[in-house]
Amino acid sequence: MAVLNDEQAMLRDMAREWAANESPFTAWRALRDAETGAGFDADAWQAMSGMGWAGIMVPEEHGGSDFGWMSAGLVVEELGKVLAASPIIGVTIAAWAIAQGDSDEAKARHLPALASGETIAALAVDEGPRHAPGKIGAKVENGKLTGSKGFVADAAEAGIFIVAATDGLWLVEKGEGVSVAGRVLADRRSHGEVVFDAAPATRLGDAAMAEQMLDRARILTACEMLGMAQHLFDTTLDYLKQRVQFNQVLATFQALQHRMADLFAEIASMRAAVEGGLEALDSRRRVPQAACIAKARANDVLNLMSREAIQLHGGIGMTDEYPVGDYLKRARVLENRWGSSAFLRDRFAGLAGY
Amino acid sequence: MATTAEPAAQVSESAFREDVRAFIQSNFPPELKGTSNALASVESGAGESEPQRQWREAMGSRGWGTPTWPAEYGGGGLSRREAAILQEELAKAGAYNPIQGMGVMMFGPTLLEYGSEAQKKEHIPPICRGEIRWCQGYSEPNAGSDLANLQTSAVDKGDHYLVNGQKTWTSGGQWADKCFCLVRTDRADKHKGISFLLIDMDAPGVEVRPIRMISGMSPFCETFFTDVKVPKANLVGEEGQGWTIGKRLLQHERTNLSGGNAMGRLGGPTLGELAKMYRETDEHGQLADRVLRDRIADFEIRWAAFLLTARKAAEESKAQGGVSEISSVLKKAGTKLGQERAELSIEIMGLQGLGWEGEGFTAAELAGVRTWLFGKATTIYGGSTEIQNNIIAKRVLGMLDHQ
């Protein structure tokens, strides 16, 4: 755990307590099993926004707290632990993009509504099943955006989209020229195919800013993954200490002890990489490299942890009743979002010049 | 580590920094700038040049090689802050700390904690002056990972102990002046029968045989004790307290073998840079072998995460005032990555990276081979990876012993 200041420690404790009491795993399960197609519980998001979590990256003059990336990351990690469904990553990143962007009108119009939880934002970058920011076809002509975006998280609920086009970042409001078709993925959250047909767009920034936004999305997504990996590790360790076979609790077997020691070391590496990413964002030092390190480690360690969690739980881990499977399914969706490890290694090597 | 002694006078930070600068200016031989003889002079048979000797004596006279050790025993008596300033100024001047080795790293801190007043007065000052080489008499042919199984015996003969037995993997034993040794004073109790004894390496009955390793080097020895008389004054702590003292010493060893210290020696080019020297590049200046490039990036990302982990462990330990639990993974993670790096380096260089000696190879290529081979020791010594896994599972994760 990073060494935190008082404000950050308070925020993390608040998030931890709220997640445990108000949004335990059973809350996600109730949402999933209601089969309304909703990606998150609207009342829960209002409660989170009420605690200031939607406005962590919104400047104070626009109704946010401007607490910084470490604070945002701590909250996202705690939500990841309980698999709490929320649009917090899209909203936080969108708020950053709008606040950094060229349009004062967009700031005044959208930032307070994002901070209050009233408006949901979604990031619309990739156009196919893989992260490929170098292959964007969406175009803007005369202020009208045309193109289609695939697997956009919370597309159905979003009021605004931050859209990557060939010449940079744009903001599009849902309405004229925007249509959304749902896509149900294994994680059962809300995703959608979004088609923009000459939709009115507001310019936020150039292609370099789009890159910066993606680095932020990578790091914040890695925070959710860190929470998930930590939870899977903790719950697996608890299980090994309880389950008895051959008249022994499983935790006494050295074959399992050494696997857990390996996983413990991997999660320590993941945590250092993810927190290093947040620190890089707050200090604005070597952010592109830090984003590759954070997300690549998050991808690889969560992938391993989610497989090991199932194996170490045995048959019970395969049942729908048990939570482990939900983490596994969510893990793969997040691993593919904003860059697989192969994509990130390519980017990291390119940045290092080899 | 020793308790921090208060400096004699309350000197302000900037005045202290000035003092350090002036000291380096007038004592550090300019021809040594950017070099480091610290390890070579202490842990090998390599001799010392005249400027190296001068620099060691100058640092030793201030106790600044062991900056936070108490001044009354020859240490620097500096606060942590002052020690940090000293380190910063040495780095700025391209100067190294010439007072190193097992005495500084492991034995000194342990003796300061457990030794008698007379023992501290006798043994700590020569360590602070860099005048003495200590070696570690722990492992035996049948006591490796199961260290407490050690059999070297010390029998009470009134005013002395009579020591018989064999130690092995004695690092630098052939050059050492003294040995801190775990010996058996009681056969009835595995752990409580162990005592911590200091033995002169030139005492009659001590014989040392270097062991030639796969690297071609002989950094370790077998040490034989045959009816060696050791004065009772050389017993540290009580008889039977050796396991407790010995384990404390291992904590100092582990801290030094993990994270920063052992791995800081890697230096040199990154694997990406190395690959660009030995492999073809494409029109963008990137490695043409995309598979190798991917694997190098995978390593470099995990290496970067390890450095962040080591930094975080240090920050947490400092903030909590104790050892951070993630410190327990540093030895195992750092040594594994070090070995991976050496293997990848050879793969990058091909047969050019496997030169043993003679013509046709650069000094760096030849050194790389020895480093690769010696590096196999890192996951075995200082508590093997398997022992580290046991420690993590039992002490950190609370997984129980097999019933």
Side-chain angles (χ1 to χ4, degrees):
Chain A
M1 187 59 61
V3 177
L4 305 177
N5 65 32
D6 290 348
E7 173 189 286
Q8 290 163 343
M10 212 170 73
L11 195 63
R12 181 203 55 200
D13 293 346
M14 193 166 91
R16 186 173 290 173
E17 200 176 313
W18 185 85
N21 295 334
E22 307 296 328
S23 185
F25 176 76
T26 47
W28 152 247
R29 200 36 92 71
L31 179 70
R32 185 196 80 172
D33 293 344
E35 295 196 334
T36 61
F40 55 89
D41 183 284
D43 292 339
W45 179 240
Q46 274 310 312
M48 293 187 218
S49 305
M51 290 180 286
W53 301 350
I56 290 177
M57 291 313 295
V58 174
E60 289 179 57
E61 70 261 33
H62 292 295
S65 67
D66 209 3
F67 273 170
W69 291 103
M70 180 61 80
S71 298
L74 291 168
V75 171
V76 170
E77 181 193 338
E78 293 304 324
L79 296 176
K81 284 181 184 170
V82 295
L83 226 53
S86 88
I88 190 167
I89 292 179
V91 166
T92 303
I93 301 292
W96 174 86
I98 294 168
Q100 295 293 309
D102 296 336
S103 168
D104 288 338
E105 197 195 322
K107 289 176 201 176
R109 181 170 161 80
H110 298 297
L111 288 176
L114 285 172
S116 70
E118 200 180 315
T119 296
I120 306 299
L123 310 180
V125 177
D126 294 313
E127 301 181 356
R130 278 172 295 279
H131 180 54
K135 290 181 183 167
I136 283 170
K139 275 198 170 63
V140 178
E141 279 171 16
N142 303 322
K144 308 269 184 184
L145 193 146
T146 299
S148 71
K149 299 289 178 180
F151 306 101
V152 175
D154 304 316
E157 292 83 356
I160 58 176
F161 296 91
I162 308 298
V163 190
T166 50
D167 62 346
L169 273 187
W170 297 78
L171 186 154
V172 176
E173 291 184 33
K174 189 176 274 176
E176 184 194 336
V178 179
S179 58
V180 175
R183 294 284 181 273
V184 182
L185 294 178
D187 70 349
R188 309 286 294 279
R189 300 289 177 92
S190 165
H191 301 275
E193 196 84 7
V194 186
V195 176
F196 299 100
D197 183 9
T202 306
R203 185 165 174 80
L204 293 178
D206 59 13
M209 187 178 156
E211 277 295 328
Q212 290 174 16
M213 182 183 84
L214 289 172
D215 284 333
R216 281 150 181 80
R218 287 171 189 132
I219 293 169
L220 214 50
T221 301
C223 293
E224 180 175 348
M225 299 168 81
L226 175 63
M228 292 165 62
Q230 184 69 60
H231 173 82
L232 284 172
F233 179 84
D234 292 344
T235 196
T236 301
L237 182 60
D238 284 347
Y239 181 76
L240 294 177
K241 288 178 178 178
Q242 285 162 18
R243 170 79 171 166
V244 175
Q245 290 285 275
F246 306 105
N247 298 317
Q248 307 262 352
V249 289
L250 295 182
T252 62
F253 291 101
Q254 196 177 42
L256 304 183
Q257 292 179 344
H258 286 200
R259 277 166 78 175
M260 290 305 283
D262 280 341
L263 290 168
F264 180 75
E266 285 289 74
I267 285 176
S269 162
M270 177 188 191
R271 179 173 291 286
V274 172
E275 292 178 357
L278 294 169
E279 284 163 6
L281 285 181
D282 281 330
S283 65
R284 294 168 181 258
R285 276 206 306 264
R286 292 174 64 82
V287 169
Q289 287 87 348
C292 291
I293 295 165
K295 182 69 173 26
R297 282 273 74 201
N299 284 349
D300 294 351
V301 177
L302 180 58
N303 185 288
L304 173 69
M305 187 65 239
S306 60
R307 286 181 289 129
E308 288 285 73
I310 295 262
Q311 177 66 22
L312 291 169
H313 275 85
I316 190 84
M318 292 291 296
T319 61
D320 182 67
E321 184 189 346
Y322 219 72
V324 178
D326 290 59
Y327 286 81
L328 173 79
K329 290 178 246 183
R330 178 69 175 158
R332 293 302 175 277
V333 171
L334 296 181
E335 284 164 40
N336 277 284
R337 197 174 286 293
W338 316 129
S340 66
S341 291
F343 173 91
L344 295 163
R345 289 195 293 266
D346 175 59
R347 180 167 159 79
F348 184 82
L351 289 165
Y354 61 86
Chain B
M1 192 50 65
T3 50
T4 302
E6 283 300 314
Q10 285 293 333
V11 189
S12 76
E13 269 185 24
S14 60
F16 178 74
R17 195 180 285 279
E18 282 309 311
D19 181 28
V20 172
R21 279 183 193 159
F23 170 83
I24 295 173
Q25 177 75 30
S26 51
N27 289 286
F28 184 61
E31 62 265 44
L32 296 183
K33 189 171 176 176
T35 69
S36 171
N37 189 47
L39 279 160
S41 65
V42 178
E43 286 184 348
S44 82
E48 245 181 349
S49 68
E50 187 53 27
Q52 285 169 345
R53 186 188 60 77
Q54 282 172 14
W55 176 232
R56 176 175 55 78
E57 287 179 356
M59 283 287 280
S61 69
R62 289 275 189 127
W64 282 359
T66 48
T68 59
W69 292 15
E72 57 182 311
Y73 305 119
L78 302 184
S79 66
R80 281 186 185 283
R81 178 66 198 135
E82 287 168 329
I85 292 172
L86 172 64
Q87 202 173 4
E88 283 166 25
E89 291 302 322
L90 287 173
K92 271 189 219 159
Y96 61 92
N97 179 352
I99 317 268
Q100 300 273 350
M102 291 198 191
V104 174
M105 203 167 93
M106 300 187 250
F107 175 62
T110 310
L111 193 72
L112 283 168
E113 194 172 338
Y114 288 99
S116 68
E117 190 59 25
Q119 287 169 337
K120 290 188 224 177
K121 284 218 153 68
E122 180 185 352
H123 297 296
I124 300 294
I127 295 174
C128 296
R129 293 193 299 266
E131 291 173 355
I132 189 163
R133 292 170 180 164
W134 281 90
C135 65
Q136 181 180 36
Y138 271 38
S139 296
E140 297 181 6
N142 288 314
S145 287
D146 183 12
L147 182 60
N149 189 41
L150 59 94
Q151 301 300 327
T152 295
S153 70
V155 178
D156 189 337
K157 295 287 182 183
D159 64 338
H160 67 274
Y161 289 102
L162 198 63
V163 177
N164 279 285
Q166 181 192 346
K167 293 289 175 182
T168 193
W169 311 125
T170 322
S171 305
Q174 66 270 56
W175 303 297
D177 305 296
K178 290 174 188 287
C179 180
F180 52 91
C181 212
L182 292 181
V183 294
R184 183 155 297 286
T185 43
D186 181 358
R187 299 220 167 268
D189 190 311
K190 186 174 180 181
H191 292 96
K192 288 180 185 154
I194 296 172
S195 298
F196 196 98
L197 204 57
L198 311 179
I199 302 178
D200 280 352
M201 292 299 278
D202 57 5
V206 179
E207 191 196 340
V208 175
R209 293 182 204 155
I211 306 169
R212 192 173 174 84
M213 305 298 288
I214 55 174
S215 60
M217 301 183 289
S218 302
F220 306 114
C221 297
E222 293 178 291
T223 306
F224 298 88
F225 301 104
T226 311
D227 288 338
V228 179
K229 287 183 180 175
V230 181
K232 281 231 170 130
N234 286 8
L235 175 73
V236 178
E238 309 275 320
E239 212 173 84
Q241 209 189 345
W243 187 245
T244 305
I245 301 173
K247 273 196 303 185
R248 182 81 183 110
L249 187 140
L250 287 178
Q251 288 184 342
H252 293 295
E253 180 180 29
R254 228 162 262 145
T255 312
N256 278 280
L257 291 178
S258 63
N261 296 357
M263 290 301 127
R265 291 184 210 165
L266 276 175
T270 65
L271 284 180
E273 288 161 358
L274 188 75
K276 285 185 79 171
M277 289 158 58
Y278 284 84
R279 295 296 194 100
E280 282 173 38
T281 52
D282 64 14
E283 68 274 21
H284 306 295
Q286 295 185 346
L287 293 172
D289 182 338
R290 305 308 274 185
V291 177
L292 178 67
R293 178 174 179 268
D294 182 71
R295 289 172 57 216
I296 292 173
D298 180 46
F299 172 83
E300 294 289 359
I301 283 171
R302 286 181 295 123
W303 177 248
F306 170 73
L307 294 180
L308 287 166
T309 312
R311 195 185 76 189
K312 202 161 288 294
E315 284 171 2
E316 285 181 16
S317 298
K318 201 173 149 197
Q320 297 163 3
V323 178
S324 154
E325 66 175 25
I326 58 173
S327 301
S328 65
V329 308
L330 294 179
K331 201 250 167 186
K332 131 195 174 89
T335 52
K336 176 169 178 268
L337 286 165
Q339 290 180 350
E340 269 188 62
R341 185 187 197 280
E343 295 288 354
L344 258 172
S345 300
I346 288 171
E347 191 176 333
I348 288 165
M349 293 187 275
L351 292 179
Q352 193 64 33
L354 283 169
W356 184 252
E357 61 191 10
E359 296 292 304
F361 303 100
T362 66
E365 285 163 357
L366 292 174
V369 175
R370 308 302 171 117
T371 304
W372 160 61
L373 290 166
F374 180 77
K376 299 301 175 205
T378 60
T379 49
I380 302 168
Y381 66 41
S384 67
T385 297
E386 290 69 27
I387 293 292
Q388 302 298 329
N389 281 342
N390 285 347
I391 292 172
I392 293 167
K394 293 192 172 76
R395 301 211 194 125
V396 181
L397 303 181
M399 299 175 89
L400 305 171
D401 277 323
H402 197 71
Q403 301 301 305

